[in-house]
Amino acid sequence: MNTLPVTLDAWLTRLEAMHPKAIDMGLSRVQQVKMSMQMAFACPVITVGGTNGKGSTCAMLEAILLRAGYRVGLYTSPHLLVFNERVRINGQMVDDAQLIAAFNAIEQARGDVSLSYFEFTTLAAMWLFAEAGLDAVILEVGLGGRLDAVNVLDADVAIVTSVDIDHTEYLGDTREKIGFEKAGIFRTGRTAICGDPVPPASLVEHAENIGADLWLFNRDFNYAGDKQQWNFSGRGNRRNALAYPALRGANQLLNASSVLAALEALRLRLPVSAQDVRSGLATVELVGRFQILPGKPLVILDVAHNPHAAATLAQNLDNMGFHPYTHAVFGAMQDKDIEGVLAHLKGRIDHWYLTDLPLPRAASASELRDKILKMDDGLKEGDTEHSVQTFASPAHAFANALSRAGESDRIAVFGSFLTVAGVMEFRNSAQH
C-alpha cells in the first residue's frame, strides 16, 4: 500500500499522474464511486453548463444566495492561482486540510476504479459539500455536460448559459452537436434553463424528449433596461428597478436573467428577497472576467479564449471610451480557434505582446505572431504605432507592456487562463 500524500501539492501531483488520460469523458467511473460512498444531497442542486458565462452565472447565484443567509457550496474550474479556488463553502475557499481529508476519503472509496484528475477532484468537492450540511449546491460543468463528472448528480435546476463552438474534439464541430452535449445536464420533470437567445434545436428537442421543464430566454423569461437600471420578468415573477451586476460586460444581463429564472424556479425551497437580489448583484466578484484593475494604465483581465468570448471582449472594449493606445498580452492553447479569436480583435489592438505558456499543448508566441501578421497586413515589424512582439512568459510580456504603455492607455490581458494567471502572479509578486 502506497503511503498517501500529506500536502495538497503532493496530492495534486499524484492525481495528475494517476489516470492514463487527462480528459476521459464518461460517467461510469464517477457513478460507481459516488454510489459506493452513498453520496446524496437533501438541498437543491444547481448545475451550470455552457460555452461562456458559466463562471459569472455561478458567481451571481452564490452572491445572491449568500446575501439571503443560505449556506452555499460552489464548485468551479479551472482555478487561476491556487487549486482551493475551485471549492468554496459559504463564500470562502476551503483550506488544504479540508481538501486532503476529501482526497483521502475518495481514495479509500474508489477501490480499483481509475479516476481522472477532474473526476477525482469533482468527487472530493461533492464529498465536502455533503459533509457540510448546506442549503444549496452550485456546480459548474467542466466540459460539455452529458459526459462531464458533475453530471452524476441530478440537478434540481440546470442552466445552459450559451452554446458556441469550443472543445470540438470532444463535443462536435457544430452548435447543434454541442447543444445536445450541453443539454445532457437537463432532467425529466425538473427545471432546465437556456440563456442563449438562439438555442440550438438539438437542445430544445432533447429537453422536450426527456420531459424537462424548459425555460427559454424571450419565451419564459427576459429582461429590459435603460442606462440606470433593469427589470427581469419570468413566468410569474417580476423584479423591477435592479442595479446592474458588478460584473462588467455585454452579456452579464443575459447571465443575470438566467440566475433570476433559476431562483424563481426554486422560490418555494430557497426564497430570496428583492434586497438579496440587489445586494448580491451589486457585490458579486469574479476574477478574470472582464475584470478592470485599479490604477494607470488601465489593466483588463479576461479569460476570453474562444471566438464567442472574444466577440464579447471586443464589444466591451468598444464600450469603454477613448484610450490613445490599446496593448494586448495574449497567449492561447494550440487546439483553440485562434484565428477566430483574433478576427474579433482586428483593428482594436495597437501593440501585441504574445507569450509562450507553460503547457505542451499551448501555441507558441511565434505561431501567434505569424497568425496576427497574416491577418493584419497593416502591421509591420518596427512600426512605432503598431507592433507585434513575442515573450517567453506572461510576466515578461506584461512587464514590457507596462513599460511601454502611457498613463491613458489600456492593457488587455486575455486568452488562456494561464495567460491571466501568469500576469496575476507577476502583479502579486511585484506588490510584495
Side-chain angles (χ1 to χ4, degrees):
M1 171 78 184
N2 290 342
T3 53
L4 294 178
V6 293
T7 66
L8 180 58
D9 283 347
W11 254 115
L12 295 173
T13 303
R14 176 192 173 106
L15 295 183
E16 279 167 1
M18 227 168 73
H19 193 72
K21 290 164 77 174
I23 297 175
D24 196 358
M25 310 291 277
L27 298 181
S28 58
R29 296 178 300 277
V30 182
Q31 191 77 47
Q32 206 176 324
V33 179
K34 172 185 165 265
M35 285 177 73
S36 76
M37 298 180 84
Q38 299 179 318
M39 215 186 281
F41 294 91
C43 68
V45 174
I46 306 168
T47 302
V48 181
T51 307
N52 295 304
K54 295 191 293 276
S56 302
T57 300
C58 288
M60 287 189 239
L61 274 168
E62 180 198 40
I64 293 168
L65 289 170
L66 287 173
R67 286 283 168 169
Y70 294 113
R71 290 174 52 77
V72 182
L74 172 63
Y75 173 61
T76 60
S77 65
H79 58 276
L80 277 159
L81 297 180
V82 292
F83 181 88
N84 312 57
E85 293 167 32
R86 295 183 182 217
V87 188
R88 286 157 64 99
I89 294 177
N90 284 336
Q92 301 297 314
M93 293 191 296
V94 297
D95 61 28
D96 289 11
Q98 289 169 288
L99 285 166
I100 291 166
F103 291 163
N104 284 331
I106 303 304
E107 179 65 20
Q108 198 173 349
R110 77 178 178 89
D112 57 3
V113 178
S114 179
L115 296 169
S116 71
Y117 177 98
F118 185 75
E119 291 169 340
F120 198 107
T121 54
T122 299
L123 282 165
M126 290 176 182
W127 183 82
L128 284 166
F129 294 157
E131 295 287 301
L134 301 171
D135 300 313
V137 168
I138 304 161
L139 303 168
E140 180 187 350
V141 171
L143 178 61
R146 184 174 65 92
L147 298 176
D148 186 82
V150 160
N151 201 32
V152 292
L153 289 184
D154 295 325
D156 298 273
V157 174
I159 303 173
V160 172
T161 55
S162 64
V163 180
D164 222 280
I165 309 293
D166 201 3
H167 300 294
T168 50
E169 68 277 35
Y170 299 106
L171 306 179
D173 54 2
T174 66
R175 283 185 82 239
E176 291 299 329
K177 289 176 186 169
I178 293 170
F180 174 75
E181 293 296 331
K182 305 276 184 205
I185 63 174
F186 297 161
R187 292 295 188 274
T188 301
R190 298 194 180 182
T191 305
I193 293 170
C194 182
D196 195 306
V198 189
S202 59
L203 177 143
V204 176
E205 278 165 22
H206 179 71
E208 288 170 351
N209 288 344
I210 65 166
D213 178 21
L214 180 63
W215 295 45
L216 292 177
F217 181 74
N218 272 339
R219 185 188 77 180
D220 301 275
F221 66 101
N222 56 39
Y223 69 84
D226 57 30
K227 286 190 172 167
Q228 264 63 52
Q229 56 191 29
W230 67 288
N231 306 318
F232 165 82
S233 75
R235 285 186 179 173
N237 186 357
R238 285 186 66 82
R239 294 191 185 267
N240 295 325
L242 298 167
Y244 278 79
L247 301 180
R248 301 167 188 245
N251 286 338
Q252 294 305 0
L253 286 190
L254 263 180
N255 296 332
S257 297
S258 295
V259 165
L260 296 187
L263 294 173
E264 181 182 340
L266 289 167
R267 67 193 178 282
L268 298 179
R269 296 175 72 186
L270 293 172
V272 294
S273 71
Q275 192 49 46
D276 299 330
V277 171
R278 288 195 184 97
S279 304
L281 291 178
T283 55
V284 63
E285 292 178 358
L286 185 61
V287 175
R289 303 330 191 271
F290 203 68
Q291 180 188 6
I292 295 177
L293 303 179
K296 291 183 174 181
L298 195 80
V299 175
I300 302 143
L301 303 179
D302 197 326
V303 291
H305 56 261
N306 55 48
H308 184 247
T312 304
L313 171 60
Q315 192 180 345
N316 292 337
L317 291 173
D318 291 349
N319 292 341
M320 281 182 76
F322 176 74
H323 295 273
Y325 293 99
T326 299
H327 306 253
V329 175
F330 177 61
M333 292 296 133
Q334 183 92 53
D335 57 359
K336 297 294 169 189
D337 178 3
I338 295 167
E339 284 91 347
V341 169
L342 295 173
H344 288 293
L345 279 305
K346 185 175 177 178
R348 291 179 172 86
I349 308 297
D350 303 295
H351 300 287
W352 288 95
Y353 306 78
L354 307 170
T355 178
D356 294 333
L357 294 173
L359 265 191
R361 62 188 187 89
S364 70
S366 56
E367 287 174 80
L368 298 177
R369 179 190 57 204
D370 293 346
K371 289 179 192 296
I372 286 173
L373 291 173
K374 189 173 166 187
M375 173 192 78
D376 198 337
D377 49 17
L379 286 175
K380 298 282 182 287
E381 301 213 34
D383 178 357
T384 54
E385 294 293 303
H386 301 94
S387 62
V388 186
Q389 294 174 271
T390 58
F391 297 89
S393 71
H396 285 104
F398 182 70
N400 196 272
L402 267 184
S403 70
R404 293 181 64 203
E407 268 207 356
S408 306
D409 291 353
R410 61 185 176 181
I411 303 172
V413 178
F414 74 101
S416 162
F417 272 75
L418 292 174
T419 310
V420 173
V423 169
M424 286 170 65
E425 280 170 353
F426 171 80
R427 281 176 54 87
N428 290 348
S429 62
Q431 283 162 5
H432 294 130

